Amino acid sequence: MAKAKDIVHRHPKDPAALLDVVRDVQAAFGHVPDEAVARIAAHLKLSEAEVRGAVTFYHFFSADPRGASTVYLNDSITSRMKGRAAVAKAFEDEAGCAFGRVSGDGRIGLFPTSCIGMNDQEPSAIVDGVVFTRLTPESARALVRGLREGRPAASQVAELGDGANQSELVRAMVANNIRERGPVLFGAHESGAALRKAVGTTPEKVIEEIKRAGLLGRGGAGFPTGLKWEFCRREKAVERFVVCNADEGEPGTFKDRVILTELPRLLFEGMAVAGYAVGARTGVLYLRSEYAYLRAHLEAALEAMRQDGLLGRAAAGSEGFSFDIVIKSGAGAYICGEESALLESAEGKRGEPRDRPPFPVSSGYRNLPTTVNNVETLATAARILVEGAAWFKAMGTPQSAGTKLLSVSGDCGRPGVYEVEYGLTLAALLEMAGGAGAKAVQVGGPSGTCVAQDGFGRKICFSDLATGGSVIVFGPERDIFEIVGNFMDFFVEESCGWCVPCRAGNVLLKKKLEKVVRGLGTEADLRDLEAWGKLVKATSRCGLGQTSPNPILTTMKSFPELYAAKVRKGEDFVPEFDLEAALRTGCEAAGRRPECKESLHE
Amino acid sequence: MSEIRFTIDGRPCVARAGQTIVEAAKANGVWIPVLCHYEGLKPVGSCRICTVRVAGRYMAACTQPVTEGMAVENTAPDLEDMRKSLIEMLFVEGNHFCPSCEKSGNCELQALAYRYRMMVPRFPYLWPGRALDARAPRLMLERNRCIQCLRCVRGIRAKDGRKVFAAVERGPRVTIEIDQRLAAGLSDAEARRAMDICPVGAILRKETGFAVPIGKRKYDGAPIGSDVEKGAGR
Ligand SMILES: Cc1cc2nc3c(=O)[nH]c(=O)nc-3n(C[C@H](O)[C@H](O)[C@H](O)COP(=O)(O)O)c2cc1C
Ligand code: SF4
């Protein structure tokens, strides 16, 4: 095995290399031992405390051993709906340890993880970097047995998925599940056509075309892409960057994964077009760690494009334009999808959001002007250049032009990705996806909206149900409170912890919700939930905290009767715990009888 | 440099370009409560107690630059109640036993709680288990009282620029860690600065205590913020 010293010294003496060094150490040792922390700190001129800060921030790094093999089992609500509990039990039985632990022989570590972008094929897990989908208790047991017998995870992938998932460089059992091919992303595209068209005109004209198309960011916030590029271009600077946000962390979205798998060249061409438009020489693809299995495939696509003259010096034959793309890896943190946290992470730091202003367009990657765009936005931009703004504007609604790639999962017959025009109603989408009869639909993931049946006439578009792409269908039997509880756990787990309302407020909201769900709530508790939710939204520092109370607030709106039925009407106060039960052990030990009923309820 | 005109609760104020709302307010004799903010350090907006409202949008006044014509709401009752909530949140998030704390009377969190007339927090106590770290020769890290304001992280550096304090973990598990190697090299003056920079009683110097008696401490005479309101900040 390589020594920590050698691994560390392979990297430049630059603090920006921190996450890359830690990643290599983690891969070699299964954790980041103290000795390595000291070496990394010395090499990068950081304090050991700072190195530990980065190691402990990311879910896939660890100061303690995680086992010779490590299972990360997805903990999204859809995974739970599709039988996660039985699969988890099978893993535990076979490994001989509980989740959060490493087996006694040190061979198997079991850990939960936030949505890994496989919601249409749950339950799923990442085992030593290899994705396993549609797990059953049997396949989980066989997998652990195989690992114990010394068969690497990759060799245990029995059946490959469709499309490029079968290629030599991917070899994944992941399925694309492309259910609806629209004209924008899945329309016939001649590789290089968009970039050649771009370099044949001026950057200003490219920006103008994107603006006229009315392209709004597909990552969730919906900022006009042309305007973002223009702001970035206008900044005086020695260098500018294009950063592609491939962090795709919102539970329930997986559409960027399909683009990365099937249309990487279209995406990279979009990045090059953006690079030409804003005047950048370098593009950075920030790839979530969960999609590391696609990295070799993506590198190969980049290399092929260099061979084709579409990247590198004089890209697309344009003498004055050089552009190339590097891939940076995440390490397990939803917050790194927030653009400024992403930039921090890409610079090798803890993924903590920055204060804005300044916005990334003026001070982004390495404090230089940067346009951060979603995978789908960039791929779409490339298509707009080829087909024209008018073609694009003719689709969708006046305010929400074009098509959207949706990730549909949950209780529906045809989970997968759908490229649909904006303006589609939920009812129509449910019809397409085989989800008629649903009780509720979660649009936009946990940070979005929970829509009940009476809202199924609402439309997917920026002015009504805006979404980064996550659509989770809940059938009639689902327990809304279990869903809300899972979403709140997600935010508690994924908050970066920087600011008070999000760090502490989400914990308090979750506790209050539990009180209500346990039947110990009063009407005052419901008022608290609402007020505290508003407080967290109003005072949090970034988009995570500003939306994290949504699971509670939006279900209180869509399902008021469920909440009303849970609380005790007319009672002023019910403590959050059962005093008698809490005293029981102590009383038994002392040989007394608990007598607290009277004083409590009279 | 050009002057910027703006208002706080309707009162006309002026600011210099680049000033944050907190700085400009102070220069105009208006107090906006702050806790993580510390003069001379880059503001980070972690406590959110300086939250103000501008055109219906909430923002941290310590990080937000003033712009021309901005109408800042600072003392609207609902805003003040939000701030009070955040103070209460800090009290339930950690373990704060003021009567036994060396910082009592000099503590900015306690002073804010008094000024906001906090009685019993509206939130249930979380009673976290937090480890005390007394390994460094001159300093003690009493994490029960830590509010993660990041002042020490920003302000205390070794001679070669490395950070002596750093945040570890994430979300509700975030704690501050002190770098043992670097802490061993801190001088007495640097240790004193670390304790002074800490708004609460989380960073304490060893071997000295209660040098100033209770009753004669910073906030024992006048509430926090009154210096700014008297125009002392001008
Ligand atoms: C907590 C949080 C997570 C986010 N995650 C993602 C993500 O995974 N992918 C993404 O493209 N945008 C994400 N965003 C939005 C980005 O901050 C940013 O708006 C987007 O990448 C801009 O690209 P666009 O204009 O092309 O949409 C997230 C925002 C927040 C607040
Ligand atoms: S809102 Fe949450 S995620 Fe965002 S900065 Fe604050 S603690 Fe971090």
Side-chain angles (χ1 to χ4, degrees):
Chain A
M1 193 191 274
K3 291 215 179 81
K5 185 172 153 220
D6 301 329
I7 296 174
V8 172
H9 285 273
R10 250 186 260 144
H11 292 270
K13 289 189 168 188
D14 177 359
L18 176 56
L19 296 187
D20 295 331
V21 188
V22 171
R23 185 174 298 105
D24 286 355
V25 171
Q26 175 80 36
F29 297 94
H31 70 299
V32 185
D34 285 347
E35 186 228 331
V37 169
R39 287 195 185 280
I40 296 169
H43 188 68
L44 303 181
K45 296 227 166 11
L46 294 166
S47 67
E48 289 173 33
E50 256 184 300
V51 174
R52 263 195 205 93
V55 170
T56 53
F57 187 86
Y58 294 95
H59 191 57
F60 297 121
F61 295 156
S62 165
D64 304 313
R66 291 252 170 111
S69 282
T70 317
V71 175
Y72 289 101
L73 181 62
N74 187 4
D75 200 14
S76 74
I77 188 66
T78 316
S79 176
R80 288 179 175 234
M81 283 155 53
K82 301 289 170 181
R84 182 188 193 274
V87 169
K89 178 152 188 321
F91 271 124
E92 292 185 332
D93 290 348
E94 193 62 44
C97 67
F99 267 83
R101 293 276 156 83
V102 177
S103 63
D105 60 3
R107 296 293 295 277
I108 314 286
L110 301 179
F111 297 89
T113 195
S114 299
C115 189
I116 64 171
M118 304 287 158
N119 242 21
D120 54 342
Q121 39 210 304
E122 293 296 337
S124 62
I126 300 175
V127 182
D128 297 340
V130 180
V131 178
F132 289 85
T133 62
R134 286 185 294 266
L135 285 161
T136 61
E138 294 71 42
S139 63
R141 263 190 221 102
L143 180 55
V144 173
R145 248 181 271 130
L147 292 170
R148 275 233 166 84
E149 286 160 12
R151 290 169 53 210
S155 74
Q156 298 199 53
V157 172
E159 209 178 315
L160 299 179
D162 55 340
N165 289 299
Q166 297 182 357
S167 75
E168 265 319 295
L169 292 174
V170 183
R171 292 193 58 79
M173 67 192 291
V174 179
N176 287 324
N177 289 333
I178 303 168
R179 308 286 181 178
E180 188 70 34
R181 292 171 184 266
V184 179
L185 292 159
F186 291 106
H189 179 75
E190 181 204 331
S191 183
L195 188 59
R196 277 192 292 273
K197 201 148 174 189
V199 299
T201 169
T202 64
E204 288 77 11
K205 287 239 168 70
V206 172
I207 291 174
E208 197 46 46
E209 188 74 6
I210 299 297
K211 275 171 131 180
R212 273 200 297 126
L215 174 61
L216 304 178
R218 265 43 175 166
F223 192 84
T225 306
L227 204 58
K228 194 183 274 187
W229 291 4
E230 184 171 73
F231 287 156
C232 186
R233 175 169 189 82
R234 276 211 207 127
E235 291 286 330
K236 295 233 178 330
V238 286
E239 201 176 349
R240 298 182 194 82
F241 291 98
V242 172
V243 171
C244 172
N245 187 342
D247 196 57
E248 188 155 64
E250 189 76 37
T253 76
F254 43 84
K255 49 103 188 167
D256 290 343
R257 181 198 79 218
V258 174
I259 295 177
L260 292 162
T261 306
E262 295 301 326
L263 305 165
R265 290 181 60 124
L266 180 65
L267 163 64
F268 293 143
E269 194 174 342
M271 288 177 75
V273 167
Y276 181 74
V278 306
R281 275 185 284 126
T282 307
V284 178
L285 176 75
Y286 185 88
L287 184 67
R288 73 184 306 215
S289 172
E290 290 81 347
Y291 295 168
Y293 73 98
L294 291 171
R295 185 153 181 165
H297 171 63
L298 295 167
E299 296 282 8
L302 287 174
E303 192 47 42
M305 287 177 75
R306 285 178 202 121
Q307 296 299 323
D308 292 351
L310 294 171
L311 289 175
R313 223 195 55 76
S318 165
E319 260 315 310
F321 178 57
S322 294
F323 187 80
D324 213 328
I325 294 170
V326 293
I327 301 180
K328 292 245 166 207
S329 286
Y334 164 64
I335 188 59
C336 290
E338 194 281 338
E339 56 185 11
S340 64
L342 181 152
L343 295 168
E344 287 286 295
S345 180
E347 292 176 7
K349 293 179 262 183
R350 287 163 66 85
E352 294 161 330
R354 297 173 178 173
D355 287 302
R356 280 150 307 160
F359 290 90
V361 283
S362 52
S363 179
Y365 186 55
R366 297 184 189 156
N367 297 325
L368 289 162
T370 303
T371 174
V372 182
N373 287 110
N374 174 255
V375 171
E376 186 185 348
T377 311
L378 290 161
T380 302
R383 294 284 297 139
I384 290 172
L385 269 210
V386 178
E387 307 286 351
W391 166 82
F392 189 75
K393 272 230 93 145
M395 291 176 275
T397 72
Q399 280 87 37
S400 309
T403 62
K404 178 82 189 91
L405 199 56
L406 299 174
S407 318
V408 183
S409 67
D411 296 316
C412 58
R414 288 184 294 281
V417 298
Y418 292 75
E419 186 187 342
V420 300
E421 283 190 41
Y422 276 109
L424 188 77
T425 63
L426 276 188
L429 179 65
L430 285 172
E431 190 62 40
M432 287 163 85
K439 167 182 183 170
V441 180
Q442 186 74 25
V443 184
S447 66
T449 312
C450 184
V451 185
Q453 272 178 351
D454 60 2
F456 287 0
R458 293 179 65 183
K459 292 179 175 148
I460 307 260
C461 59
F462 288 97
S463 54
D464 190 355
L465 290 170
T467 170
S470 170
V471 177
I472 309 176
V473 184
F474 299 122
E477 307 302 320
R478 298 298 172 192
D479 175 1
I480 295 292
F481 290 116
E482 189 195 340
I483 296 163
V484 176
N486 174 270
F487 288 172
M488 291 313 293
D489 283 341
F490 168 76
F491 287 123
V492 168
E493 172 61 31
E494 298 295 338
S495 158
C496 84
W498 183 282
C499 72
V500 177
C502 172
R503 185 179 69 224
N506 285 317
V507 175
L508 294 164
L509 278 168
K510 176 76 201 306
K511 268 180 95 81
K512 185 67 103 179
L513 176 76
E514 279 167 3
K515 181 177 192 250
V516 170
V517 173
R518 284 202 313 264
L520 298 172
T522 62
E523 283 158 323
D525 286 317
L526 295 188
R527 286 194 294 276
D528 281 347
L529 272 180
E530 228 178 304
W532 301 1
K534 277 190 190 147
L535 169 75
V536 171
K537 281 177 79 116
T539 57
S540 283
R541 178 164 174 261
C542 83
L544 192 151
Q546 286 159 8
T547 56
S548 61
N550 283 352
I552 294 175
L553 297 178
T554 69
T555 50
M556 283 182 84
K557 233 185 196 160
S558 343
F559 296 99
E561 69 286 354
L562 289 183
Y563 283 87
K566 278 282 180 199
V567 298
R568 307 196 190 171
K569 277 176 204 72
E571 280 190 60
D572 291 335
F573 175 75
V574 181
E576 70 181 296
F577 64 99
D578 181 343
L579 187 53
E580 204 171 311
L583 290 176
R584 196 167 295 135
T585 346
C587 288
E588 271 164 19
R592 296 207 187 102
R593 262 184 306 128
E595 279 184 25
C596 37
K597 261 230 157 76
E598 269 196 344
S599 53
L600 250 180
H601 288 300
E602 299 318 306
Chain B
M1 207 179 255
S2 64
E3 272 195 347
I4 295 172
R5 283 166 198 289
F6 73 111
T7 63
I8 302 179
D9 293 329
R11 208 189 105 184
C13 297
V14 288
R16 281 182 287 108
Q19 265 184 326
T20 64
I21 299 177
V22 160
E23 289 164 346
K26 189 172 177 185
N28 286 274
V30 176
W31 181 68
I32 297 176
V34 289
L35 184 52
C36 64
H37 184 60
Y38 190 81
E39 235 167 84
L41 297 182
K42 182 178 182 280
V44 292
S46 74
C47 74
R48 316 307 288 176
I49 282 161
C50 65
T51 297
V52 293
R53 192 165 44 212
V54 178
R57 286 190 48 232
Y58 296 86
M59 49 189 73
C62 72
T63 54
Q64 190 72 33
V66 179
T67 53
E68 182 68 39
M70 202 178 225
V72 179
E73 279 181 82
N74 179 37
T75 55
D78 62 327
L79 259 181
E80 291 281 40
D81 189 57
M82 281 186 173
R83 293 166 174 171
K84 190 176 176 185
S85 303
L86 293 171
I87 294 164
E88 293 174 8
M89 232 181 231
L90 283 169
F91 272 91
V92 304
E93 193 200 22
N95 300 308
H96 299 271
F97 301 103
C98 300
S100 66
C101 180
E102 147 73 298
K103 262 300 194 54
S104 184
N106 284 329
C107 170
E108 293 173 40
L109 177 65
Q110 182 194 45
L112 281 168
Y114 277 130
R115 173 139 185 177
Y116 277 84
R117 295 167 195 270
M118 181 185 103
M119 302 298 283
V120 178
R122 69 197 72 185
F123 309 107
Y125 282 96
L126 296 174
W127 307 123
R130 290 191 183 165
L132 186 144
D133 186 344
R135 288 174 293 172
R138 292 178 204 275
L139 286 177
M140 196 158 73
L141 195 54
E142 179 27 319
R143 293 200 183 89
N144 284 299
R145 303 165 185 163
C146 180
I147 56 167
Q148 275 91 239
C149 63
L150 306 175
R151 283 191 189 175
C152 57
V153 174
R154 288 173 279 163
I156 309 297
R157 292 185 182 250
K159 282 173 196 69
D160 61 2
R162 298 186 203 211
K163 288 180 176 168
V164 179
F165 295 87
V168 295
E169 293 285 349
R170 75 178 186 210
R173 296 189 305 272
V174 163
T175 54
I176 299 300
E177 187 168 304
I178 180 163
D179 189 283
Q180 297 305 328
R181 219 177 287 260
L182 299 181
L186 286 182
S187 68
D188 210 37
E190 286 162 334
R192 189 191 309 267
R193 180 168 151 81
M195 178 165 171
D196 287 345
I197 220 174
C198 177
V200 292
I203 299 176
L204 299 169
R205 283 167 68 214
K206 289 184 176 170
E207 290 167 17
T208 61
F210 294 91
V212 179
I214 301 275
K216 300 221 157 103
R217 295 178 164 207
K218 195 165 173 193
Y219 304 115
D220 285 341
I224 191 168
S226 40
D227 51 342
V228 174
E229 286 159 326
K230 281 199 210 99
R234 245 165 214 285

